[in-house]
C-alpha cells in the first residue's frame, strides 16, 4: 500500500487530487507543528509527505524515513528542507510556485501603502477615541507613494508582479538580482537594473523578494540600513532571515531609516521584542502573504498533485530537484 502523511491541517478538498490513485492519505487535523522527533517517528512508514514551512526536513529526518520518496512543501520557498540531503536520499522535493504570486504581490503593496500612510496607527488612534477634529498637522502624517522610487531586491515572479503594480503609482522601479533580465524584459516591466549599493541609496521603498540562501541571509544588516535614505522604508514579504532584525530595530529606533512593513521574521513566529515595541511607521503581519482562500486552496491542491504524480511515476509540476527521477510505487 502506498501511503502519504499530511503533517498539519490543510484545505481538505485538496485530498480530492488523490481520488482514484490507489494512494492512502492520512491527514493530521491539527494546525500545530509536531516536534521534530515525533514528526520523524510518525512519518517513518510513509512513502510521501505533505509538509509546511514549520516542519524541518533535514538529513536526520530523511534517515529516519527510508520509505519516503517525495516531500511536498505547501509554500514557494523550501529553506526548511535540506534539498541536497533529499537528493542524496533519492527523495523528490516539490514546492508551490506561481499560484501565490499575485496574492503575495498584493500584500507587499498593501504593506508598502500601510507603512507609508501609517494606516495601523490611524486606525488605533481613531478606535481609542482620540480623533476629535481634522487638522493640517495630522498626528499620522505619512509620505507619498505616487511618483516615488521603488527598489526591488529580487525579481522573480513575485518581484515582477510588484513591479507591474508599481506602474499604477507612476513609480520609478529599480531592481537588483543575481540574474539580470534581458533588455526587452526590462523595458516591458519598466524596471532598471542597478547594483545593490545603488538600490539602497536611491530607493524610497525597498521591497525584498529574494529566496533565502547563504548569500542573502542578513543581506539587510546595519551597513545596508546606513546606506539607505533616512526617509526610506523596508518591506519584506520574502523570508525573515534576509533581514537582520536586531539591526533593523536599531535602525528604526535611531532614525537611520524611516519605517518598515514586515510579513516574515527571522525566527518566526518569534519577533524581535524591539520591533514589537516600535509603534510608529512599523507594520507587522503574521505571514499573510498567500493568505487568501483561493490561493491557499490551490497551494494545497498543487502539493497534493505533486505527491500523487511523484508516487505514480510521473514528473511533478514543480520539482525542486530534477536530479531525482520519479519511480513507480510497489503498491
Amino acid at each position: 500500500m502506498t501511503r502519504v502523511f499530511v503533517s498539519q491541517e490543510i484545505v481538505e478538498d485538496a485530498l480530492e487530487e488523490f481520488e482514484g490513485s490507489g494512494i492512502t492519505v492520512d491527514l493530521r487535523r491539527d494546525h500545530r507543528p509536531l516536534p521534530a522527533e515525533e514528526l520523524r517517528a510518525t512519518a517513518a512508514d510513509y512513502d510521501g509527505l505533505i509538509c509546511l514551512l514549520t516542519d524541518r526536513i533535514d538529513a536526520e529526518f530523511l534517515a529516519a524515513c527510508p520509505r519516503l520518496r517525495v516531500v511536498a512543501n505547501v509554500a514557494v520557498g523550501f529553506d526548511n528542507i535540506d534539498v541536497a540531503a533529499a537528493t542524496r536520499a533519492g527523495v523528490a522535493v516539490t514546492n508551490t510556485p506561481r499560484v501565490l504570486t499575485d496574492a503575495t504581490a498584493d500584500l507587499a503593496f498593501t504593506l508598502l501603502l500601510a507603512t507609508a500612510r501609517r494606516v495601523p496607527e490611524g486606525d488605533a488612534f481613531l478606535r481609542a477615541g482620540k480623533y476629535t477634529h481634522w487638522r493640517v498637522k495630522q498626528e499620522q502624517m505619512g509620505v507619498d507613494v505616487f511618483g516615488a522610487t521603488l527598489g526591488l531586491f529580487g525579481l522573480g515572479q513575485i518581484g515582477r508582479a510588484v513591479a507591474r503594480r508599481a506602474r499604477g503609482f507612476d513609480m520609478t522601479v529599480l531592481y537588483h538580482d543575481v540574474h539580470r533580465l534581458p533588455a526587452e524584459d526590462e523595458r516591458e516591466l519598466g524596471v532598471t537594473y542597478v547594483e545593490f549599493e545603488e538600490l539602497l541609496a536611491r530607493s524610497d521603498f525597498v521591497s525584498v523578494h529574494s529566496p533565502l540562501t547563504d548569500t542573502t541571509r542578513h543581506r539587510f544588516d546595519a551597513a545596508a540600513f546606513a546606506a539607505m535614505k533616512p526617509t526610506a522604508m523596508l518591506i519584506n514579504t520574502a523570508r525573515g532571515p534576509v533581514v537582520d532584525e536586531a539591526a533593523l530595530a536599531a535602525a528604526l529606533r535611531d532614525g537611520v531609516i524611516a519605517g518598515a512593513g514586515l510579513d516574515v521574521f527571522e525566527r518566526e513566529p518569534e519577533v524581535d521584542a524591539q520591533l514589537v515595541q516600535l509603534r510608529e511607521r512599523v507594520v507587522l503581519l503574521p505571514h499573510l502573504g498567500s493568505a487568501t482562500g483561493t490561493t491557499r486552496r490551490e497551494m494545497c491542491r498543487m502539493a497534493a498533485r505533486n505527491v500523487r504524480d511523484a508516487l505514480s511515476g510521473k514528473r511533478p509540476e514543480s520539482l525542486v530537484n530534477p536530479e531525482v527521477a520519479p519511480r513507480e510505487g510497489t503498491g
Side-chain angles (χ1 to χ4, degrees), residues 16-314:
E16 295 171 359
E17 300 287 348
F18 290 100
E19 290 180 359
S21 68
I23 297 171
T24 299
V25 182
D26 293 327
L27 169 65
R28 179 173 169 263
R29 290 179 169 84
D30 194 325
H31 63 86
R32 295 165 296 186
L34 284 169
E37 183 177 350
E38 190 173 347
L39 179 61
R40 289 194 297 271
T42 305
D45 294 325
Y46 286 89
D47 305 280
L49 172 69
I50 297 177
C51 65
L52 276 64
L53 282 171
T54 46
D55 297 317
R56 179 64 187 164
I57 310 302
D58 54 16
E60 185 176 2
F61 173 89
L62 293 162
C65 301
R67 285 184 52 172
L68 198 64
R69 305 209 308 273
V70 58
V71 173
N73 217 31
V74 185
V76 65
F78 43 86
D79 45 278
N80 58 311
I81 301 173
D82 187 335
V83 177
T87 301
R88 290 193 297 271
V91 176
V93 176
T94 71
N95 63 342
T96 60
R98 298 179 299 279
V99 296
L100 49 70
T101 295
D102 285 322
T104 306
D106 284 349
L107 191 84
F109 229 89
T110 299
L111 272 173
L112 189 155
L113 289 166
T115 306
R117 297 304 303 271
R118 303 175 69 175
V119 172
E121 295 171 63
D123 180 85
F125 184 81
L126 184 145
R127 291 176 187 274
K130 297 178 180 179
Y131 179 52
T132 58
H133 61 283
W134 185 91
R135 52 187 289 195
V136 171
K137 293 185 178 181
Q138 202 88 12
E139 285 85 349
Q140 297 82 30
M141 294 289 278
V143 299
D144 292 319
V145 174
F146 191 87
T149 296
L150 172 63
L152 300 174
F153 181 68
L155 201 70
Q157 293 299 317
I158 296 171
R160 296 180 198 196
V162 172
R164 288 191 286 271
R165 283 153 176 77
R167 289 175 179 171
F169 289 82
D170 199 25
M171 301 181 86
T172 296
V173 183
L174 312 175
Y175 81 96
H176 180 76
D177 195 289
V178 291
H179 304 292
R180 182 172 178 175
L181 294 182
E184 182 178 346
D185 291 346
E186 290 183 345
R187 286 193 297 271
E188 189 275 328
L189 278 173
V191 299
T192 301
Y193 175 85
V194 294
E195 293 298 334
F196 183 61
E197 293 73 16
E198 185 175 354
L199 185 88
L200 298 176
R202 291 179 56 187
S203 299
D204 298 304
F205 301 92
V206 175
S207 191
V208 180
H209 301 287
S210 69
L212 177 62
T213 66
D214 290 341
T215 55
T216 64
R217 184 178 295 274
H218 279 195
R219 192 69 175 90
F220 287 85
D221 55 11
F225 299 129
M228 292 169 65
K229 296 179 181 180
T231 54
M233 298 184 179
L234 179 76
I235 309 299
N236 188 10
T237 54
R239 285 291 177 263
V242 175
V243 176
D244 181 335
E245 276 184 21
L248 174 60
L252 291 165
R253 184 189 63 238
D254 298 340
V256 176
I257 64 171
L262 308 176
D263 187 45
V264 290
F265 303 94
E266 191 173 352
R267 293 169 294 277
E268 200 167 316
E270 177 188 342
V271 183
D272 189 287
Q274 298 177 85
L275 280 177
V276 175
Q277 292 165 7
L278 294 169
R279 302 292 183 181
E280 295 185 359
R281 299 182 181 87
V282 177
V283 182
L284 308 176
L285 296 179
H287 208 144
L288 298 180
S290 62
T292 72
T294 300
T295 299
R296 291 280 172 88
R297 181 174 294 105
E298 185 50 35
M299 290 170 66
C300 293
R301 295 195 79 107
M302 178 179 277
R305 290 195 299 273
N306 283 333
V307 170
R308 179 201 64 200
D309 290 348
L311 294 179
S312 301
K314 301 175 184 176

